[in-house]
Amino acid sequence: MARSTGHSRPVIKDVARLAGVSAPTVSRYLNGTARIAEDKRGRIAKAIKQLGYEPSVVARALSNREMDSVVVFAANPSAFSTSATNHGVEAAARRRRFLLNIVSLDEADMDSVEQRVRMGLSIRPAGAVVYEYDRAGIRALDYIPKDLPIVVVGGSFGDGDYQVVNAEREGGRWMTMHLLDLRHETVFHVARAAGPTDNTRTNGWRDALEERGAAIHEPIVVSSTDLEEAVEAGRRLGKRDDVTAVFAGNDETAIGVIKGLREVGRQVPDDVSVVGFDDQNFGPLWSPALTSYSQNFREMGERAFRMLYEQVKARRDGADAPQPRVEVVEGQPRLRDSETEYVPW
Amino acid sequence: MARSTGHSRPVIKDVARLAGVSAPTVSRYLNGTARIAEDKRGRIAKAIKQLGYEPSVVARALSNREMDSVVVFAANPSAFSTSATNHGVEAAARRRRFLLNIVSLDEADMDSVEQRVRMGLSIRPAGAVVYEYDRAGIRALDYIPKDLPIVVVGGSFGDGDYQVVNAEREGGRWMTMHLLDLRHETVFHVARAAGPTDNTRTNGWRDALEERGAAIHEPIVVSSTDLEEAVEAGRRLGKRDDVTAVFAGNDETAIGVIKGLREVGRQVPDDVSVVGFDDQNFGPLWSPALTSYSQNFREMGERAFRMLYEQVKARRDGADAPQPRVEVVEGQPRLRDSETEYVPW
DNA sequence: CTGAAAGCGCTTACAG
DNA sequence: CTGAAAGCGCTTACAG
């Protein structure tokens, strides 16, 4: 395994020698962990620059028993929500010079969750972020030691001590209320199969109907992979003449529903109002431009890291852990042209 | 910094003691780096299981000067292509028990590229994968030491010694040919601003026109963020009556173009055929269902890791590096309803 | 086949 | 403020 590293990179000893100090002094300089004489500071700085020295994060991690890194555990790694959240976590982590490790989970392979978690933790990260939009994420929580800083993203309130959730339920409620405000007598709902959390769009929809005393028709649940099911839902709804407004669980579903509605001769928004969720980039281009609810995944990721870092920092400083809390990241409704006021004949 | 780790996890010494052998023997057992007596094998295996021992990847990395991990450098971390490719890399890496680190690059902040690369390499990964769809990726290559195994994903042929590219150009050529086969006299093109590579959809489009001797009208280049530009392109094209077929650089663009075309009274596909690229999931739901070209990003990611691993393995075995090569991952046309045969009046 | 020793590159008590 | 020493948890020549 002896690799010919060529001229290997400089190590702390080289810096120390060049600066005429000991390695521990360089270490203290780097970590700000003790006061260093002014002249030595200068010499060390120069030596570092001259050598192009970079501390080995691996050696540091071995010594500290902990790496400056976060692991994120997430199912659906290629979903927009996941990757946008990752991006936020990474950006915030980078500012603290933390590295990001991604370990994907697989809903279809729950048996591997434990092993994947172990793998992710084998690097001894300073903390973990778990996206708890689904069962795999929830399961992952079981395998993470209680003493490791964790932040849960998404999920139900109370699933984690430290949690950042998007306003799923609030958003669902808002969109439904909006339709009700437009005088629709009630709002039908085509839902994606949701995880077992209560912070869901569907619950928000129900909240609004209950609050207004509107009729609650069981939601039609469609697969999030086979969009044809949404089209079929649209057809079914289109055949009922009590359907004037539909809240779709996401934008793809909304599109499918609109398509199905049209197939059976109902126009959107003239005959039926349809709103989506997620505000995907194709929404504004749709005909009609799709009204939707925009979530800020990037922001969620950034907040998740910051919340994690607070815990890590406190631990490293020997301070008390920060107060556990749930942060709700609000989204924003984007009103466009796919819904309109209900006008009875 | 002394953390109360509670009961710390078992280390190799604990296993050795319990099995009645030395630590190096356990190490050799774990790595298959020497023959071990049958009875000791058994005892070691039992001790490992009993203790729930897991080797410290950090200690191992320090000793080996290299971590069992890959870094991927990529701009546009939340783009579907990026995240799907990441997923492929991660899946293939996991099989080899390699960890994945993600470092995002930022086109808008080229100055930070060097620092980001250094950060990503600070962990001493066994290799790096660079997504070279844009300038940031290309720049990143400059900062990665030549002796580190690298695989370039995307980009021009020949940018890297080891490269996996999708059939961008081939795909563009195919789609254009398809339209020409439908008797359109020529095909107009609305392109996204492309990176400085030659393996582009636009070049494929040009290839096809040249091959058939069709008229080449300069492509309209639109931003990949502001979809309104695509709509505007659609309007402009719609006003010319020599426009009967449009190859859009991707599906969002295609949708925008269709919208613009409609605004000026041209129907798709009756008056103008429009095809997209990428085969996003909303394509089939569009009216008309969008004809597009589907790429296999996941597969690209998997191949990228495998190609990287070959290099890593050879290096570790002290063997010759594998032959440099470029693998082209083919996509697949998805013919739907947005294009049709040209019928002159 | 296997053990004692040294080393990977840091950090942190312990003295001074 | 600063250095010598020991340790983090592995791996790898070196002997045997």
Side-chain angles (χ1 to χ4, degrees):
Chain A
M1 180 124 348
R3 297 176 33 204
S4 61
T5 331
H7 48 94
S8 57
R9 293 163 47 160
V11 298
I12 199 169
K13 243 185 191 166
D14 300 317
V15 175
R17 194 174 311 137
L18 186 59
V21 298
S22 72
T25 299
V26 177
S27 171
R28 291 179 187 115
Y29 168 87
L30 254 13
N31 297 306
T33 182
R35 192 151 281 159
I36 312 282
E38 195 49 40
D39 57 324
K40 308 201 173 174
R41 297 185 66 80
R43 298 211 306 274
I44 293 173
K46 220 167 88 184
I48 288 176
K49 179 155 262 173
Q50 185 174 329
L51 261 23
Y53 169 72
E54 292 233 38
S56 156
V57 315
V58 169
R60 185 175 273 174
L62 181 57
S63 197
N64 291 342
R65 256 95 136 203
E66 188 172 290
M67 190 113 126
D68 279 8
S69 75
V70 222
V71 222
V72 350
F73 294 104
N76 286 323
S78 40
F80 174 74
S81 56
T82 303
S83 51
T85 311
N86 286 346
H87 189 24
V89 172
E90 198 254 4
R94 184 168 1 95
R95 284 180 219 121
R96 296 290 184 183
R97 312 224 50 171
F98 270 52
L99 252 13
L100 171 65
N101 280 90
I102 303 270
V103 174
S104 74
L105 266 21
D106 186 347
E107 276 284 88
D109 180 11
M110 293 294 280
D111 292 340
S112 69
V113 172
E114 177 171 12
Q115 213 215 334
R116 292 182 194 216
V117 170
R118 290 172 81 120
M119 221 187 123
L121 299 182
S122 69
I123 204 189
R124 303 275 184 136
V129 176
V130 179
Y131 297 173
E132 205 201 26
Y133 294 116
D134 45 51
R135 277 163 245 273
I138 292 174
R139 174 76 72 88
L141 249 22
D142 295 339
Y143 301 118
I144 301 178
K146 294 307 159 224
D147 60 337
L148 188 77
I150 301 184
V151 171
V152 170
V153 170
S156 292
F157 290 93
D159 278 350
D161 289 336
Y162 299 91
Q163 202 168 349
V164 11
V165 302
N166 46 21
E168 292 272 323
R169 186 165 188 163
E170 179 51 32
R173 182 179 168 288
W174 200 101
M175 297 302 271
T176 306
M177 277 299 186
H178 170 61
L179 258 8
L180 260 13
D181 286 343
L182 255 16
R183 302 178 194 275
H184 292 278
E185 296 195 354
T186 190
V187 177
F188 287 73
H189 181 38
V190 180
R192 309 155 311 143
T197 75
D198 49 60
N199 178 214
T200 63
R201 301 160 192 196
T202 296
N203 282 342
W205 160 79
R206 204 183 305 269
D207 291 344
L209 295 185
E210 282 173 0
E211 200 174 318
R212 290 287 175 86
I216 300 181
H217 299 272
E218 261 323 284
I220 300 179
V221 177
V222 297
S223 138
S224 49
T225 51
D226 180 10
L227 295 177
E228 178 53 34
E229 293 187 16
V231 179
E232 175 56 27
R235 286 188 208 107
R236 273 175 57 194
L237 291 171
K239 286 175 193 153
R240 300 175 54 152
D241 54 10
D242 56 343
V243 174
T244 68
V246 179
F247 168 44
N250 64 12
D251 289 348
E252 281 96 342
T253 303
I255 285 171
V257 168
I258 292 174
K259 192 173 186 197
L261 249 12
R262 282 185 178 143
E263 286 182 14
V264 296
R266 311 282 304 261
Q267 294 312 307
V268 176
D270 302 336
D271 301 328
V272 182
S273 290
V274 177
V275 301
F277 209 97
D278 285 344
D279 193 32
Q280 299 236 33
N281 64 347
F282 55 81
L285 290 178
W286 206 259
S287 303
L290 202 62
T291 285
S292 191
Y293 188 86
S294 168
Q295 306 214 58
N296 202 166
F297 295 109
R298 174 89 193 250
E299 170 74 15
M300 302 217 0
E302 302 219 8
R303 292 225 215 163
F305 180 81
R306 290 203 295 265
M307 195 182 271
L308 190 73
Y309 186 76
E310 284 176 27
Q311 298 177 59
V312 170
K313 179 103 171 55
R315 228 169 104 140
R316 289 185 178 179
D317 291 348
D320 286 342
Q323 278 301 317
R325 68 178 186 283
V326 178
E327 285 185 16
V328 179
V329 176
E330 294 206 7
Q332 193 164 12
R334 307 284 185 199
L335 302 185
R336 289 190 276 255
D337 312 325
S338 62
E339 88 287 24
T340 189
E341 196 159 351
Y342 173 60
V343 185
W345 294 48
Chain B
M1 180 124 347
R3 295 176 34 206
S4 61
T5 332
H7 48 96
S8 58
R9 291 164 47 159
V11 299
I12 197 169
K13 244 185 190 164
D14 301 316
V15 175
R17 193 173 312 135
L18 186 58
V21 299
S22 72
T25 300
V26 177
S27 170
R28 292 180 187 113
Y29 168 85
L30 254 14
N31 299 305
T33 182
R35 193 151 283 158
I36 312 282
E38 196 47 41
D39 56 326
K40 309 204 170 168
R41 298 184 67 82
R43 299 212 305 274
I44 294 173
K46 219 167 87 184
I48 289 177
K49 180 156 263 173
Q50 186 175 329
L51 260 24
Y53 169 72
E54 290 233 38
S56 155
V57 315
V58 169
R60 185 176 274 173
L62 181 58
S63 197
N64 290 342
R65 258 95 136 204
E66 188 172 290
M67 190 114 129
D68 279 7
S69 74
V70 221
V71 223
V72 350
F73 294 105
N76 288 321
S78 41
F80 174 74
S81 57
T82 303
S83 51
T85 311
N86 286 346
H87 189 25
V89 173
E90 198 253 5
R94 182 165 5 94
R95 283 179 221 122
R96 295 290 183 184
R97 312 223 50 171
F98 270 53
L99 251 13
L100 172 65
N101 280 91
I102 304 270
V103 174
S104 74
L105 265 22
D106 187 348
E107 276 285 88
D109 180 12
M110 293 296 279
D111 292 341
S112 70
V113 172
E114 177 172 11
Q115 213 215 332
R116 293 182 193 215
V117 169
R118 290 171 80 121
M119 220 187 125
L121 299 182
S122 68
I123 204 188
R124 303 275 184 134
V129 175
V130 180
Y131 297 173
E132 205 201 26
Y133 293 117
D134 45 52
R135 277 164 246 274
I138 292 173
R139 174 76 71 87
L141 250 19
D142 294 340
Y143 301 118
I144 301 177
K146 294 307 160 225
D147 59 336
L148 187 76
I150 300 184
V151 170
V152 171
V153 170
S156 292
F157 290 94
D159 278 349
D161 290 335
Y162 299 90
Q163 200 169 174
V164 11
V165 303
N166 47 20
E168 291 273 325
R169 187 166 190 161
E170 179 52 32
R173 182 179 169 286
W174 200 99
M175 296 302 270
T176 307
M177 277 298 185
H178 170 61
L179 259 7
L180 261 13
D181 287 342
L182 255 14
R183 303 176 193 279
H184 292 277
E185 295 197 353
T186 190
V187 176
F188 287 72
H189 181 38
V190 179
R192 307 156 310 142
T197 74
D198 49 60
N199 178 213
T200 64
R201 301 160 192 196
T202 297
N203 282 343
W205 160 79
R206 205 182 304 268
D207 290 345
L209 295 184
E210 282 173 357
E211 200 173 320
R212 289 288 175 86
I216 301 182
H217 299 273
E218 262 322 283
I220 301 178
V221 178
V222 297
S223 138
S224 48
T225 50
D226 180 9
L227 295 178
E228 179 53 35
E229 293 187 16
V231 180
E232 175 56 26
R235 287 188 208 106
R236 274 175 58 194
L237 291 171
K239 286 173 191 154
R240 300 177 54 154
D241 56 10
D242 56 343
V243 174
T244 67
V246 180
F247 167 45
N250 63 14
D251 289 346
E252 281 96 341
T253 303
I255 285 170
V257 168
I258 291 173
K259 191 173 185 196
L261 249 10
R262 283 185 178 145
E263 287 181 14
V264 297
R266 310 282 303 262
Q267 293 313 307
V268 176
D270 301 338
D271 300 329
V272 183
S273 290
V274 178
V275 300
F277 208 96
D278 286 343
D279 193 33
Q280 299 237 32
N281 64 348
F282 56 80
L285 289 179
W286 205 259
S287 302
L290 202 61
T291 285
S292 190
Y293 188 86
S294 168
Q295 306 213 60
N296 202 167
F297 295 109
R298 173 92 193 251
E299 170 75 14
M300 300 212 10
E302 303 219 6
R303 292 225 215 163
F305 179 81
R306 290 202 295 264
M307 196 183 269
L308 189 73
Y309 187 76
E310 283 175 28
Q311 296 177 61
V312 171
K313 179 101 171 57
R315 229 169 104 142
R316 291 185 176 179
D317 292 348
D320 286 342
Q323 277 300 316
R325 68 179 186 283
V326 178
E327 286 186 14
V328 178
V329 176
E330 295 207 7
Q332 191 163 15
R334 305 284 185 200
L335 303 185
R336 289 190 274 256
D337 312 326
S338 62
E339 88 287 23
T340 189
E341 197 159 350
Y342 173 60
V343 185
W345 297 45

